Amino acid sequence: QVQLVESGGGLVQAGGSLRLSCAASGSIFRINAMGWYRQAPGKQRELVATITSGGFLNYADSVKGRFTISRDNAKNWVYLQMNSLKPEDTAVYYCNANVPISPLRKYDYWGQGTQVTVSS
């Protein structure tokens, strides 16, 4: 299995910055892609950013130009640099790892989540 541990969340004022980190361990050789998702109170979990093993990046429209996802391949860590934070960014942020089980099936592993709160 794959284990994911997030860190870096906290309380910040609007316009500030935070950097989230996710450390992957276990069967990391099987990870195809990693990313960040978030879930605000009363809302569904949504994609924030993903990065594939080949370095392909994908961002939600709401964070483009403000957030940057990156990966340290040697250490199997993934990061999310969040700048110009807005109150609507307040959510629990989850690290995700996508693992192919077979050519027809994939499995998502999730971290425990880290709280990001942006005050006005």
Side-chain angles (χ1 to χ4, degrees), residues 59-75:
Y59 294 95
D61 289 339
S62 60
V63 306
K64 287 182 178 178
R66 299 188 298 120
F67 291 10
T68 303
I69 188 170
S70 60
R71 182 177 64 191
D72 185 326
N73 290 326
K75 297 181 178 180

Side-chain angles (χ1 to χ4, degrees), residues 11-74:
L11 175 64
V12 65
Q13 290 185 321
S17 298
L18 285 174
R19 191 192 193 203
L20 305 183
S21 300
C22 175
S25 62
S27 302
I28 54 177
F29 62 92
R30 299 200 66 196
I31 297 176
N32 179 63
M34 298 186 70
W36 292 93
Y37 292 70
R38 67 186 182 187
Q39 186 169 23
K43 297 184 178 180
Q44 297 183 22
R45 187 174 299 185
E46 64 177 357
L47 181 147
V48 176
T50 60
I51 182 168
T52 70
S53 59
F56 181 81
L57 306 176
N58 185 43
Y59 294 95
D61 289 339
S62 60
V63 306
K64 287 182 178 178
R66 299 188 298 120
F67 291 10
T68 303
I69 188 170
S70 60
R71 182 177 64 191
D72 185 326
N73 290 326

Side-chain angles (χ1 to χ4, degrees), residues 81-95:
Q81 179 66 46
M82 305 185 293
N83 298 325
S84 301
L85 284 163
K86 304 174 181 179
E88 49 263 45
D89 294 319
T90 296
V92 177
Y93 284 70
Y94 296 91
C95 183

